[in-house]
Amino acid sequence: SQQGEEDPQALSIQEGENATMNCSYKTSINNLQWYRQNSGRGLVHLILIRSNEREKHSGRLRVTLDTSKKSSSLLITASRAADTASYFCATADTGTASKLTFGTGTRLQVTL
Amino acid sequence: GAVVSQHPSWVICKSGTSVKIECRSLDFQATTMFWYRQFPKQSLMLMATSNEGSKATYEQGVEKDKFLINHASLTLSTLTVTSAHPEDSSFYICSASGGIGSGNEQFFGPGTRLTVL
């Protein structure tokens, strides 16, 4: 299956700054999800945004979705060292709502 | 949230041997389970989708005879890597979904790191 693209591939910021990650995909989707993965660990579900939604918030996370451009962004505000991880977007296609296609990921490093 | 476990968390085996990885949904019935593999610093690639009581659906390029999947109950799916070779070394992650009624959300296990010598 075709993966989505994420950029940047890697991002290094200082604690307190905001981090923005972008995700582009190719097909029509049912929803788009963002996950976090600490090194060598499993995935943690962060947020899900449906195709008819444009923006969603959860704590320090803000996700936008532009279906016309087939893109999404994840903003982490007031970053902390504990936010250091890889972040992946994943799309659920309209035809197979439960099957996820993961993006290439962004490795975020938050330094003190 | 729902909890999914994997066992073992890591395994080292000799080339040519078979390795079985278990994926369990601990507090819900998983009508569908998914198996992914992840190479270092890369994304997750879906290997196969399995529904309880039926044959797994494999993604293009994944050998079904090499990666045997059994989803015998609503709480357990197993992935057996047969005749493992060093190129099969990877991080294997499963996820479980309770189906449409649960919003199709997938809950991920902690992963199993396989190293084939």
Side-chain angles (χ1 to χ4, degrees), chain A residues 3 37 42 98-100 102-103, chain B residues 34 38 43 59 91 106 110:
Chain A
Q3 283 187 307
Q37 183 182 36
S98 61
K99 180 176 168 180
L100 295 177
F102 282 82
Chain B
F34 303 85
Q38 183 182 32
S43 187
E59 295 299 300
F91 193 54
Q106 289 186 32

Side-chain angles (χ1 to χ4, degrees), chain A residues 6-7 12 26 38 42-44 46 52 57-58 88 97 107:
Chain A
E6 288 185 58
D7 79 274
S12 182
K26 295 181 172 64
N38 289 82
L43 273 71
V44 174
L46 295 177
N52 61 353
H57 297 255
S58 177
F88 295 93
R107 290 189 299 280

Side-chain angles (χ1 to χ4, degrees), chain B residues 25-93:
Chain B
S25 58
L26 299 184
D27 50 4
F28 70 103
Q29 292 187 328
T31 53
T32 306
M33 286 186 169
F34 303 85
W35 287 96
Y36 299 84
R37 68 186 298 181
Q38 183 182 32
F39 291 109
K41 297 187 178 180
Q42 294 190 25
S43 187
L44 279 74
M45 295 295 292
L46 179 65
M47 298 174 66
T49 302
S50 74
N51 293 295
E52 186 265 340
S54 62
K55 289 184 179 180
T57 301
Y58 290 81
E59 295 299 300
Q60 193 172 11
V62 179
E63 299 175 60
K64 63 180 181 180
D65 293 331
K66 178 157 185 69
F67 299 100
L68 301 179
I69 291 172
N70 185 295
H71 191 166
S73 77
L74 287 172
T75 59
L76 173 65
S77 176
T78 60
L79 167 68
T80 301
V81 183
T82 62
S83 187
H85 291 284
E87 57 265 31
D88 299 323
S89 298
S90 188
F91 193 54
Y92 292 87
I93 304 176

Side-chain angles (χ1 to χ4, degrees), chain A residues 43-90:
Chain A
L43 273 71
V44 174
H45 184 265
L46 295 177
I47 197 165
L48 180 152
I49 185 165
R50 302 190 190 284
S51 59
N52 61 353
E53 297 176 311
R54 291 296 167 259
E55 188 171 312
K56 206 162 184 180
H57 297 255
S58 177
R60 294 185 293 114
L61 306 180
R62 173 177 169 256
V63 168
T64 63
L65 178 65
D66 187 334
T67 53
S68 66
K69 295 181 180 178
K70 290 188 167 57
S71 67
S72 174
S73 68
L74 170 68
L75 168 68
I76 303 174
T77 61
S79 64
R80 305 166 182 168
D83 294 329
T84 295
S86 290
Y87 292 81
F88 295 93
C89 67

